[in-house]
Amino acid sequence: MVHILPQLPYKYDALKPFLDTQTMQLHHGKHHQTYVDKLNEALKKYPLIADKKVEELLENNLAIVPEEIKTAIKNHGGGHVNHTIFWESLSPSKQDPSETFKALLEKEFLSFEKFKEMFSNAAITQFGSGWAWLVYNKKTKMLEVFNMPNQNSPISEGKLPLLTLDVWEHAYYLKYQNRRAEYVQAFWNNVNWQKVEERYNSAHKVH
Ligand code: MN
């Protein structure tokens, strides 16, 4: 299987004012595309794993990936999957979590506001490039919030991504320059809670 850039579930200008059209065009059409291209390039010599899903390659700290391309798969496979989850985490219109999911967040993080604060804080305090995550931990069956550097994926640590925010500068610099906190604040108006809940339900059902 050759990995391909997924189409966005909305137009490049649909997330304004959170994200401007040019940022979206570059981020999806150039940055994400490059991760996909480099992932395919790395897999060229390894047809036996080339048709596996990227998530499968990233699982168990890339156990099935040959040493020679481990770093490439971690970076570009991670980059591909992280961006796909990010696009799906966003909605052109403001959504609220369902009562059920909100109750779950309240159970794990004391309140919905407290959860948002923790997630925002993870995004703002990530030093350099990286991502903020809300995940389902398969082992503990609990929700967790944290940040990870570069294109590292929670999937490699047995955690299933539910919601993510890209805090690489390419994600926000054109519009927000050095004001990452403003970008993080604006993000809450465009979270696709329906998708986050769907991810949780399928993760929870299987594990
Ligand atoms: Mn990015």
Side-chain angles (χ1 to χ4, degrees):
M1 180 175 84
V2 176
H3 298 281
I4 53 164
L5 181 71
Q7 278 211 320
L8 289 182
Y10 36 73
K11 296 205 165 114
Y12 282 136
D13 63 359
L15 301 174
K16 287 201 285 191
F18 167 48
L19 293 170
D20 58 284
T21 310
Q22 195 188 6
T23 297
M24 288 302 294
Q25 281 168 340
L26 290 169
H27 200 175
H28 177 259
K30 303 288 182 195
H31 289 276
H32 190 170
Q33 181 70 62
T34 302
Y35 290 113
V36 173
D37 293 344
K38 290 191 172 172
L39 169 65
N40 286 326
E41 184 64 33
L43 286 168
K44 255 187 188 160
K45 283 203 297 182
Y46 297 94
L48 284 179
I49 56 163
D51 62 350
K52 296 229 181 267
K53 286 180 69 181
V54 195
E55 289 87 345
E56 224 179 303
L57 299 178
L58 294 172
E59 270 170 11
N60 305 316
N61 282 314
L62 300 99
I64 62 168
V65 176
E67 202 56 43
E68 192 199 355
I69 57 166
K70 265 201 164 78
T71 303
I73 301 302
K74 183 181 174 184
N75 291 341
H76 307 302
H80 175 31
V81 168
N82 292 349
H83 283 92
T84 301
I85 298 163
F86 181 46
W87 308 133
E88 290 176 357
S89 293
L90 300 174
S91 156
S93 53
K94 187 159 172 31
Q95 294 184 14
D96 288 314
S98 70
E99 288 306 315
T100 319
F101 196 70
K102 207 169 177 183
L104 189 74
L105 290 171
E106 284 165 0
K107 197 176 123 216
E108 306 254 8
F109 304 103
L110 299 175
S111 71
F112 182 51
E113 284 311 308
K114 190 83 196 153
F115 155 73
K116 281 169 67 178
E117 195 184 309
M118 277 180 72
F119 188 96
S120 292
N121 202 39
I124 292 164
T125 60
Q126 167 59 44
F127 182 73
S129 299
W131 298 75
W133 294 97
L134 167 68
V135 303
Y136 177 76
N137 184 322
K138 288 195 275 187
K139 207 179 274 176
T140 65
K141 303 194 183 305
M142 307 241 304
L143 299 181
E144 293 174 15
V145 166
F146 50 79
N147 53 33
M148 291 179 100
N150 306 316
Q151 295 298 356
N152 293 11
S153 168
I155 297 170
S156 303
E157 299 181 357
K159 296 169 183 182
L160 300 172
L162 305 180
L163 172 68
T164 193
L165 178 60
D166 189 343
V167 293
W168 281 58
E169 284 186 345
H170 68 227
Y172 63 86
Y173 210 82
L174 284 180
K175 179 174 161 101
Y176 299 90
Q177 290 85 47
N178 62 327
R179 304 183 306 277
R180 189 193 283 185
E182 243 177 69
Y183 160 72
V184 173
Q185 190 55 41
F187 161 72
W188 295 112
N189 293 321
N190 292 86
V191 173
N192 189 336
W193 285 108
Q194 203 186 321
K195 188 72 196 175
V196 173
E197 194 169 345
E198 267 174 42
R199 286 184 170 281
Y200 172 76
N201 287 337
S202 53
H204 194 239
K205 202 158 44 187
V206 185
H207 305 280

